[in-house]
Structures are given as C-alpha cells and as structure tokens.
Amino acid sequence: MSDHQRILIVGGVAGGASCAARCRRLSETAEIIMFDRGPHVSFANCGLPYYVGDVIKDEEHLLVATPEMFRQRFNIDVRLRSEVVRIDRERQLVEVNDLEQGAIYTEHYDALVLSPGARAIRPDMPGIQLPGIFSVRTIPDSRRIRQWIDQYEAREAVVVGGGYIGMEMVENLHKRGLAVTVVEKQPQVMPLLDPEMAAPIHESLIGQKVGLRLNEGVERFDPGEGHRLALTLASGGRLETDLVIMCIGVRPNIDLARAADLAIGESGGIQVDPHMRSSDPCIWAVGDAVEVRDVVTGATAVVPLAGPANRQGRIAADVIMGRQHGFRGVQGTSVVGVLGQVAAFTGASEKTLKRLGMWEQMEKIYLHPGHHAGYYPGAVPISLKLIFTKKGGRIVGAQAVGQAGVEKRIDVIAMAIQMHATVFDLEESELCYAPQFGSAKDPINMAGMIAANVLRGDASLAHWEDLEQSDALILDVRDVEEYNQDHLDDALHVPLDELRARMDALPRDREIRTYCFVGQRSYYAARALSQHGFTVKNISGGFKTYLMHESAKYL
Amino acid sequence: MSDHQRILIVGGVAGGASCAARCRRLSETAEIIMFDRGPHVSFANCGLPYYVGDVIKDEEHLLVATPEMFRQRFNIDVRLRSEVVRIDRERQLVEVNDLEQGAIYTEHYDALVLSPGARAIRPDMPGIQLPGIFSVRTIPDSRRIRQWIDQYEAREAVVVGGGYIGMEMVENLHKRGLAVTVVEKQPQVMPLLDPEMAAPIHESLIGQKVGLRLNEGVERFDPGEGHRLALTLASGGRLETDLVIMCIGVRPNIDLARAADLAIGESGGIQVDPHMRSSDPCIWAVGDAVEVRDVVTGATAVVPLAGPANRQGRIAADVIMGRQHGFRGVQGTSVVGVLGQVAAFTGASEKTLKRLGMWEQMEKIYLHPGHHAGYYPGAVPISLKLIFTKKGGRIVGAQAVGQAGVEKRIDVIAMAIQMHATVFDLEESELCYAPQFGSAKDPINMAGMIAANVLRGDASLAHWEDLEQSDALILDVRDVEEYNQDHLDDALHVPLDELRARMDALPRDREIRTYCFVGQRSYYAARALSQHGFTVKNISGGFKTYLMHESAKYL
C-alpha cells in the first residue's frame, strides 16, 4: 500500500489511539483522522472506578492524551463528538455525524480501523432508566456517580454484577464509606475464577461487611424515598439503596460493522484474522469489539482487556503499513484488587476447560505458600491453583489469590504459558530471592515441584471433590492442636511425626488419602506410606483447600 | 543403586538439607546421616542481616528445621558439631570429628554428598583478628554483632564490601540507627550490576547519609579508643568506628574435597557434572562450594545463591536414587533491597559479556517506566536495562533498579531467559494489568517494543558512552522547562511538538542524535526525522540514563 494514504480510525481509546500513533511513527506522509463520539480521546478507562473512589482525585489525570497532543506530536487529526454512523465499503467512505453541529459529512479512506469498544450491558428491565442507576464506562459516567454521592450524601450502594469492574466499584465505594451490597447471578463473584478460588474473596467481603447476594438477580427498579431506589430481587427480596452501579458486563459495539455487513463471529465480536483485518481487506478492527482466539483453548471469545487492545492497535498499524505482524491471541491474564485481597488469573480455568470438554487431559494442584520467606516478618499466604496437561505437563492456567505477591506469580506463569513451558520448567526456574521478596523455593518453584511430583508418579493425587465417590480412609497428619481445632469428621488422626511408629495400625486393604493443612506434610506422609506398601493418595492443597471448596459450596 | 544404602551428607544447610529430605522421600530404607560442624541445621542463612537489624527479632525464627524434626519426620540422623575431616574414597569412609567429645570416628557410605558451603573471605591483613571485626555467615556471627552493638552502644559501623550482603548489612545497621560507611574496592557497589545501574543506589545511600568510599580498600586495622577500631585505608585516609563487618565475598569450602583429590574447577569450586556428581562416581557435591555453569554465557563460576543450592540438593538426591535429573545451570537471578531501593538482576551484564568477548553480538536498551499506571497515584519509576542478541533478539540479561515492582519484572524476564524468549516475545506478553499493579503496556512490553523497534530497523540506536567518538548534532526534544532545568551543554533544543515546523533548520549533512528524558519522545522525533530524510539516532534511555552514566563516572 502506498505511503500517501488516508487512514481513518473510529474510536480514540486504547486500541484506536495506539494504532493512530503507531501509523504516524511508520509513515510521516499518511493522512490520519481519528473520530470519537465522546468528549475525550485516549482516556484511562481502567482508572474510572478509582476516580469514583477519589483515589484518583483529578479528572485530568485520566486523560492520557489530548487532541492537541495528537495534533502537535503526531500530526493526527482528532475529531471528538464525531460519530461514524455508516460505512460505504464499495466507495470506501464513512459518514460522520458531527454531534456538536448536528451535520453529517463523508470522508474517504484507504484504510479504515474500527476501535468502537464495548458498552455496558443495560438489561431491559422495569425502572432501568431511573436516575441513580449508573454504568462505569466513561469519564462522564464516573463524574455523575461522584456528583450523585456528594449531592445525596449517599450511604448505601448496590453493585449489580461481581466481575472485575464490580469488584473495583465495591473497593472504591467502600473506600468512600458507603455500605455496599453486591448482587450477582452466579454463585460466586469473579466468574473468571473457579468457584473455590473466589471463596477467599467472599470471606474478605463478608468480613468487611459488604453485602453479598449470590445466585441473585434484580427483577425491577422502583423509585424509593426521595432520590432513593427500591430493588426487587429475583428471590422476591427487596433492597433500598442510594445508588446502583450496573456491572454485568459489556457488549461489543458492532452496530456499525454489522450494518456494513462485516463478518461477526459467534462470540458476538467483529471477526478478524491474525492481522486484525476484518472480512473487508480495507477494514481493520481492534479492541473490545473484536473476537479473539484464546491461545490456550483455541476457543473464540470477546475479551475486553486493555493490554491486548493496545497491542492489536499496534499490529493493525503495522499491517496497514505493509508489514507482517500477527496477533498471537489472548490468554486472559488479569488482576483485581478488592479490600486487601488480590486475585489474578492467566490461561484457562477448570470450569472453562470442562465446558470445552478438555478437562480429561488436565491435572490440577493447589498450594498455599507464603508470599515471601516465612522467617521474615509479614509473610502472607498465596492460594495458588495450577492447571497443566497430564501428558507432558504443559502449563494451561493459573489462578492465585492473597494479599501480596499475587500478580507477580501470575505474571511469571503468564510468561511461562506464552513460552509453552511445562511444570518441569517451573521446578527449575531461578527467581529473585531475598527474604522480603520471595523464598529460596519460590511459590513458582513449589508449584512446579508439586506438579512434577505428580507427573513423575511420586505423588498420587486426590481432590476433595472426588471424596464422596470413594471409600478411602481419610488420614489427617497434622499436629494435635490443628486437628482439635477443626477436621473432617471421619478422618483418622496420626500426626506426621508419629506416622512411622504407628503405621501398623493402618489398613493395607483400603486406599488411604492423606491431608494436612496445605498439602506438604501429607505429601511426606503419602511418600512414606506408599513405600511401605500402602495404597495412598495425597489430597492436593490440604485442609485449607477443603475449606475453600466448602465455602464455595455453601454460600 | 540399591535402596538399602547408606547416604552421608556433609553440611546441613540449604543444599544438604534439601538433599537429605528428598532422599528420604524417595527411599524409606536408605540410611541417611547428615553432619554439620556448626550448632544448627537448615538455618535461614539469608535472614542473618535482618536478625542483626532486629527486623527478625527472635533467633528461633531463623531455624528452618531442627535435628528433632529431621529425626521424627524424615528418619534422618542429624549430627551437629560433627566435622567431617577426611574422605577415604577407596574404602568409602569418612572420618568424623565429634567436636563436643573431641573423638574421631569413621562412617561408611554408599553415596556421599558434600554441601560444605562457603566461608567469608577474611583477608590476611594487620589487625584482622581484632575484636569488633565480624563476618555474617552463621547465627553465632549475627548474635555476636547484636551483642557488640548493645554492649558498646555502637553508633558507627564500617561495612567492607558493597555486594549483596554488604548492602543488606547497611540496610540493617542503618535501621538500628548506626551511621554506616561502606568501603568498596571497585568504583561501584553491587558489582554484579553494570556501573550506571548501580548509580541510583549510590545516590540513595548518599542521600540517606551512608558514607560511600569507592575505589577504596582497608590496609590495616588497629585498636582505637576503648572498644573502637581504627582503619587505615588504601588511600591513606583513616576511619574510626565501633565495629566492622567484612562482606568482601565468600570462598568455597573445598579443603575436604581437595584433600580427597576430587577435581576442582578453574573458578575454585568443586567440579560436578550436570547430575551434581563429582569426579568420584560415589560423591556428589551441591551448593555454594560447587562450580556451576552460567546458562547464558556458558562460563563456569561459583555462585552462592540459595535457590540453586536447594535445587541442586534435590537433583543429587534424585540421581543417587537412580533417576535422571540434570541441573540446568545458573542465570544469576538475584535481588537486594537497601534503604528503599530495590535492585534486581538476571542473566549476564554488559561488563561480563565484554570480559568474555561476547559484547559484539549484543545490543542493549534502557527505559524508565512507572512501576504502575501513571494516572494512579504513587507510581515510581523503574530503571530497566535489557541486553539481547543483535541477531534474533534472544534475551541475554536484565537489570532493574527502583522502589517498587522491580523484582516482579526481573522474575518475568528470568522466566523469559529460561525459556529462550526473544524481545519479540516480550512485546507480545500478556501480563496482569489494573492501575495499581501495572500498565496496559507493562514495563516488560515496553522493553520488548523498544528492543524490537531496534531490531526491525525502526529505531537506530545510540548510547551515551559513544557520544565522544561522534560529531553528531545532539538534539534535545524535551519541553522548555525540562531543558532549562538541565541539559547537555552542546545540545540543540527543539521541543518535540515544534519539530515538524522547525525541521528545515536542522542539518541534512550531519548525523542527528535525539534525546528526551527517558527516550520515548526522542524516539518519536527520530522516527519523524528519519522519514524526512535526516540521518538520525535515538539515544537510548534519554537524559535520565545520561545522569546515571555521569554519576557512575564521577563518584
């Protein structure tokens, strides 16, 4: 394609802005026009909840770039309040609605990049239009929430939807002193996580007096007293509150693409090839509106994440400028912080792999190591779940939750997944260690060692959820004090350090399943028992994992 | 090898203890005896400086395991205060000196594992035996330092040697309120780092009133007033102080191995094959006393790190028990925290690569991104140096220094190096992003993008140290305020946003080198200029890197 071309970009946040700037870096002669129907370009979407929470105090801080900067620095023509309403693919024209002037005009393109993003889902239910019900997608959205809280001295809020944005809104409304209730249709918050991994977040929320209504939906909104709102719940219950934040997800903005007959994927996003090209060779699409491929499962999905959006914008620019550059897909790496808990994720979850019929090939382990050396004060546990293939030990996914050092471990595993590492690689990783930063055996190494032990046949593994299908003897090998505090009702108790002396009392004709608090001592026990001829399995992750499973079951 | 064997282990810390426990997990029938000449087994070596600093308040916390635990839990016979003084390889015997009883006895082995560690170097100089001069290798060492400080109400200390342990001693003595002076022979602290990367640590130390005597050594110690010590320095200067900590490195304990005629490597460590086997097929060696291979450079070295020591112990156990398991070598991943600064390292440094004659094949970049999104309060910069091959962009090493998020990035790059990743992989990495944890373009992605731009030819790179050999025009593209505050004397100043308008004033017959504060705006400038026909290079890492280089030069 010639350098003297006209590139039009629809949508000026993340992917669009990245694409525009990269286009200019690759070509000084191209004409680049970026349209956005909103009042801002390139703003910090992911900062909006923190602006509501007044952690980010100044709206200006959310503006990553201004139209002036784009003009001066990159010679890019940014047109705000300008909605592209139609694409004429045959003549390579777009129709633009100047929302300020109310006038419609057309612009020709050689290359068109769609970065329309996604919009908050607002279900069609009675009362959804009432004042006091907000989404959090734009700076004006956040500003309106702030104003509402100030104006009505709001003391209570309901967050509908417990995903990433929902949790961040809980964090920030709580920080402003509001009593928050979460209403979530699923039996857990953070639906990306497997249920047992969300349990520590539930407990933290409850412990900090956040209302948690799981398996619950909103049926209708009615005006309450004064500015207040009355919610009727699916269960029949009612809630009164000062404001409602709708965080039940986003839907790709594909109206423009659909009207232009561009191919739409099964997941509801604009279909693109690895070069971010749509079904029209002159039209690219990037960001929250496109369908992407999961690098781990191969499944297609719409994944609204800022990192991939930025990289897609860059890739589209490269391809427009005649380069070879492909998008490798997404692996869903993400993190959320909520009231002192951090949960992070990469790759595929157990429930996703089950849904896709891939779980048979997988194994999982749990561990709960300290975030740094235990002998250095302040170590807090990380609950880590690692999923890997039974054949070869390829790492498939990881989830972690804890108070510190959580996203570091997930970042390392994200890199490992990207590079097709196995659990044997994690075992041998050489990571930073000083007592305030990690351990001589980092949680990453520990995860690798535990998983490698399983694959090498050194540890035969059991999981709590399989307990009911077995008549195995459950053996608790913890200390007396731990056992007395809490244990499984039908467990036999033999502390690890007495095990060799008391082995003769154990049955040789019945499978034994060992547990301790986190799974390490019970692994030692299982090793000793199996060498003495017992049939034995170690229950992964110990009593702590049991408690997480139970908590997930009964909430 | 038969399961009914006798395994003797010399040295009960890190590698030795890991080996012993793993041996038991793999064999219930082996007889395992572990000797240590000290009073403790398996103690937290890396915690000793923090015990001096009273961060770790209780000596008990440093004891990772006790002989009782080894006996009860692992059926391992631990013999403390028991020094193995001779190996009779032919008869497979060791002579053990029972330091309590003063008696010598022999024990037979089928497999012998040497984990003797390393000892602090105490140079043979006048006065080195005076009271008040300490090393930090054992719990009694640390206890003596604590007692000395308390007894004499010490207010001043000299730390000789500015490596990891030296810096941790500075941190901890400073925390106890002592005025600390560092005496270091090299022109920088943290000799593992390249000099410019150590500069921020120098500035932090100086800013917090730590005395810094670089290019300086101690000639002799003399008694001072009362308990005090008088140091005569190589430069002729003198220092009086309450105590001295010797941290000039460690030397492998190889006397036993050498006396037994085991092969010793060029680096002075016990020679082992990848299975941790010494030149005698019945003797293994692990930990600080062995020579290891650097996975990046292929060079051999003695690398005293806890992580590798633990893994080597595990590998030796596997091999003794008849398994195939190899040590992949070390990559030198390490971290230190000192007075609010964190420095971390993995792979090879520029100076090591130069020493080995490998630098010609390498390129490097600098960057200074925020540790999390700039729009979220509290972002602090990380100075990051990435070294990669000119051909193919294989990542070879990384160094980072900053106040937060430092070791996370080095851990991710450590995993990338392990998996033979390239800068193009870093570019596409998908890492955790929420504004308090990272950026949509994480520092890791930024590093990859900058390096990939270089390799794709999009950015022609220059480095500050090459400036003097060139007659290029230096172009400062920062804002007026930044320029006025400080700049290169002979730089021409054209702010980036005015560049296109003022391009005609720039010379077309002379190379231009652009800089800004961190290297991003100057990259934009270089892109624009090169497309308008100018010959231009971007100076990597900008003015901030210049200041680091200058600081390293003039201290």
Side-chain angles (χ1 to χ4, degrees), chain A residues 47 66 112 123-124 132 142 176 184 194 208 210 220-221 233 253 363 392-393 400 436 451 453 517 525:
Chain A
T66 59
L112 176 65
D124 184 25
S142 310
R176 291 196 62 149
E184 164 62 53
D194 287 322
Q208 292 176 80
V210 171
R220 56 178 296 126
F221 299 97
L233 302 179
N253 285 324
E363 184 53 279
Q436 68 275 50
N453 283 336
F517 189 60

Side-chain angles (χ1 to χ4, degrees), chain A residues 13-16 18-19 46 115 272 274 276 285-295 301-316 325-334 346, chain B residues 427-434 439-442 445 449:
Chain A
V13 182
S18 289
C19 183
C46 304
S115 177
V272 289
M276 307 313 298
V286 300
D288 293 359
V290 306
E291 177 172 276
V292 290
R293 189 165 292 274
D294 185 299
V295 287
V302 177
V303 181
L305 285 171
N310 277 294
R311 289 195 296 284
Q312 290 165 4
R314 196 173 147 91
I315 289 165
H325 196 170
F327 183 62
R328 70 178 187 94
V330 298
Q331 61 187 70
T333 311
S334 46
T346 190
Chain B
E427 199 179 13
E428 306 294 340
S429 293
E430 195 182 310
L431 303 170
C432 288
Y433 167 50
S439 293
K441 286 177 190 149
D442 191 88
N445 300 127
M449 288 173 181

Side-chain angles (χ1 to χ4, degrees), chain A residues 354-380:
Chain A
K354 280 182 171 158
R355 182 167 49 77
L356 298 172
M358 297 167 74
W359 186 246
E360 280 301 300
Q361 311 154 39
M362 306 296 167
E363 184 53 279
K364 64 173 174 176
I365 56 153
Y366 298 90
L367 62 162
H368 309 276
H371 89 293
H372 62 48
Y375 64 82
Y376 189 91
V380 286

Side-chain angles (χ1 to χ4, degrees), chain B residues 205-270:
Chain B
L205 292 175
I206 292 167
Q208 291 175 80
K209 300 202 162 45
V210 172
L212 204 52
R213 302 286 189 98
L214 301 175
N215 294 306
E216 181 66 282
V218 179
E219 292 277 291
R220 56 178 296 127
F221 298 97
D222 290 292
E225 205 179 323
H227 67 279
R228 282 169 63 90
L229 291 152
L231 286 67
T232 306
L233 302 179
S235 66
R238 277 173 63 91
L239 278 176
E240 283 237 0
T241 191
D242 291 311
L243 72 157
V244 173
I245 315 282
M246 297 299 293
C247 305
I248 56 173
V250 296
R251 188 167 287 148
N253 285 324
I254 56 167
D255 296 350
L256 188 64
R258 202 202 304 266
D261 254 344
L262 294 177
I264 305 298
E266 278 182 16
S267 63
I270 303 170

Side-chain angles (χ1 to χ4, degrees), chain A residues 216-520:
Chain A
E216 182 64 281
V218 179
E219 292 276 290
R220 56 178 296 126
F221 299 97
D222 290 291
E225 204 179 321
H227 67 278
R228 280 169 64 90
L229 291 152
L231 286 67
T232 306
L233 302 179
S235 65
R238 277 173 63 93
L239 280 174
E240 284 238 358
T241 191
D242 291 311
L243 73 157
V244 174
I245 316 280
M246 297 298 292
C247 305
I248 56 174
V250 296
R251 189 165 286 148
N253 285 324
I254 55 167
D255 297 350
L256 188 64
R258 201 203 302 265
D261 253 343
L262 295 177
I264 304 296
E266 278 182 16
S267 64
I270 302 170
Q271 220 170 51
V272 289
D273 68 12
H275 308 294
M276 307 313 298
R277 204 187 294 253
S278 75
S279 55
D280 180 319
C282 296
I283 304 180
W284 283 257
V286 300
D288 293 359
V290 306
E291 177 172 276
V292 290
R293 189 165 292 274
D294 185 299
V295 287
V296 172
T297 65
T300 52
V302 177
V303 181
L305 285 171
N310 277 294
R311 289 195 296 284
Q312 290 165 4
R314 196 173 147 91
I315 289 165
D318 281 2
V319 176
I320 290 169
M321 292 304 165
R323 297 178 171 215
Q324 282 302 316
H325 196 170
F327 183 62
R328 70 178 187 94
V330 298
Q331 61 187 70
T333 311
S334 46
V335 62
V336 70
V338 56
L339 305 188
Q341 292 288 318
V342 179
F345 178 94
T346 190
S349 65
E350 179 173 346
K351 62 183 168 189
T352 295
L353 291 162
K354 280 182 171 158
R355 182 167 49 77
L356 298 172
M358 297 167 74
W359 186 246
E360 280 301 300
Q361 311 154 39
M362 306 296 167
E363 184 53 279
K364 64 173 174 176
I365 56 153
Y366 298 90
L367 62 162
H368 309 276
H371 89 293
H372 62 48
Y375 64 82
Y376 189 91
V380 286
I382 298 174
S383 290
L384 181 57
K385 177 179 185 173
L386 185 74
I387 300 173
F388 50 96
T389 59
K390 284 177 185 165
K391 268 197 190 162
R394 178 79 70 86
I395 304 160
V396 169
Q399 302 166 51
V401 58
Q403 294 174 341
V406 172
E407 91 284 4
K408 171 164 89 168
R409 272 61 184 218
I410 293 298
D411 274 356
V412 173
I413 297 177
M415 175 58 76
I417 290 177
Q418 180 184 354
M419 297 307 296
H420 310 295
T422 66
V423 300
F424 306 104
D425 294 313
L426 297 192
E427 200 179 13
E428 305 296 339
S429 293
E430 196 183 310
L431 303 169
C432 289
Y433 166 51
Q436 68 275 50
F437 299 108
S439 295
K441 287 176 189 148
D442 192 89
I444 295 288
N445 299 127
M446 294 289 296
M449 288 173 181
I450 295 169
N453 283 336
V454 175
L455 294 184
R456 291 200 191 98
D458 293 336
S460 194
L461 212 61
H463 294 295
W464 288 111
E465 60 267 34
D466 306 329
L467 218 56
E468 281 157 26
Q469 285 105 59
S470 118
D471 66 345
L473 171 74
I474 308 299
L475 184 66
D476 185 327
V477 301
R478 295 175 301 159
D479 296 342
V480 175
E481 304 78 52
E482 294 174 272
Y483 176 82
N484 286 343
Q485 210 179 321
D486 195 7
H487 59 260
L488 250 68
D489 281 346
D490 48 0
L492 179 70
H493 180 225
V494 180
L496 173 61
D497 293 350
E498 299 171 20
L499 185 63
R500 283 188 186 82
R502 293 170 56 183
M503 244 176 217
D504 289 345
L506 296 176
R508 294 195 168 267
D509 55 351
R510 189 175 165 197
E511 185 187 305
I512 298 172
R513 297 200 177 174
T514 56
Y515 77 84
C516 62
F517 189 60
V518 297
Q520 188 166 24

Side-chain angles (χ1 to χ4, degrees), chain A residues 42-315:
Chain A
S42 196
F43 71 93
N45 217 314
C46 304
L48 297 176
Y50 301 90
Y51 177 48
V52 172
D54 209 34
V55 176
I56 298 170
K57 294 193 184 298
D58 191 343
E59 200 172 297
E60 299 285 308
H61 290 152
L62 295 171
L63 302 175
V64 177
T66 59
E68 291 65 39
M69 204 203 83
F70 269 101
R71 195 160 294 131
Q72 291 180 337
R73 183 158 296 178
F74 295 112
N75 189 24
I76 289 169
D77 180 1
V78 175
R79 303 189 190 168
L80 297 181
R81 305 279 295 133
S82 299
E83 184 171 15
V84 173
V85 291
R86 205 174 73 85
I87 305 169
D88 181 339
R89 287 169 51 188
E90 203 162 324
R91 294 194 295 157
Q92 297 189 195
L93 295 176
V94 296
E95 273 177 24
V96 185
N97 185 0
D98 180 335
L99 299 172
E100 294 294 325
Q101 311 288 334
I104 291 199
Y105 62 96
T106 62
E107 291 285 359
H108 172 261
Y109 63 82
D110 296 305
L112 176 65
V113 180
L114 303 180
S115 177
R119 62 172 168 275
I121 296 173
R122 303 272 293 195
D124 184 25
M125 62 170 68
I128 188 77
Q129 298 304 340
L130 283 172
I133 304 176
F134 303 95
S135 305
V136 203
R137 288 293 296 174
T138 64
I139 292 179
D141 283 346
S142 310
R143 198 190 300 143
R144 281 190 289 265
I145 299 171
R146 284 175 69 112
Q147 285 166 350
W148 184 273
I149 291 172
D150 291 341
Q151 184 180 343
Y152 296 111
E153 294 174 355
R155 303 168 81 172
E156 292 173 318
V158 171
V159 172
V160 182
Y164 282 94
I165 309 296
M167 287 297 102
E168 293 183 339
M169 286 310 301
V170 168
E171 161 101 355
N172 282 288
L173 294 168
H174 186 268
K175 195 164 270 160
R176 291 196 62 149
L178 279 79
V180 187
T181 299
V182 180
V183 177
E184 164 62 53
K185 277 216 168 145
Q186 300 202 34
Q188 65 171 95
V189 301
M190 295 301 298
L192 199 60
L193 299 177
D194 287 322
E196 76 282 12
M197 298 304 291
I201 302 178
H202 294 168
E203 290 182 13
S204 163
L205 292 174
I206 292 167
Q208 292 176 80
K209 301 204 159 50
V210 171
L212 204 52
R213 303 286 189 100
L214 302 175
N215 294 306
E216 182 64 281
V218 179
E219 292 276 290
R220 56 178 296 126
F221 299 97
D222 290 291
E225 204 179 321
H227 67 278
R228 280 169 64 90
L229 291 152
L231 286 67
T232 306
L233 302 179
S235 65
R238 277 173 63 93
L239 280 174
E240 284 238 358
T241 191
D242 291 311
L243 73 157
V244 174
I245 316 280
M246 297 298 292
C247 305
I248 56 174
V250 296
R251 189 165 286 148
N253 285 324
I254 55 167
D255 297 350
L256 188 64
R258 201 203 302 265
D261 253 343
L262 295 177
I264 304 296
E266 278 182 16
S267 64
I270 302 170
Q271 220 170 51
V272 289
D273 68 12
H275 308 294
M276 307 313 298
R277 204 187 294 253
S278 75
S279 55
D280 180 319
C282 296
I283 304 180
W284 283 257
V286 300
D288 293 359
V290 306
E291 177 172 276
V292 290
R293 189 165 292 274
D294 185 299
V295 287
V296 172
T297 65
T300 52
V302 177
V303 181
L305 285 171
N310 277 294
R311 289 195 296 284
Q312 290 165 4
R314 196 173 147 91
I315 289 165

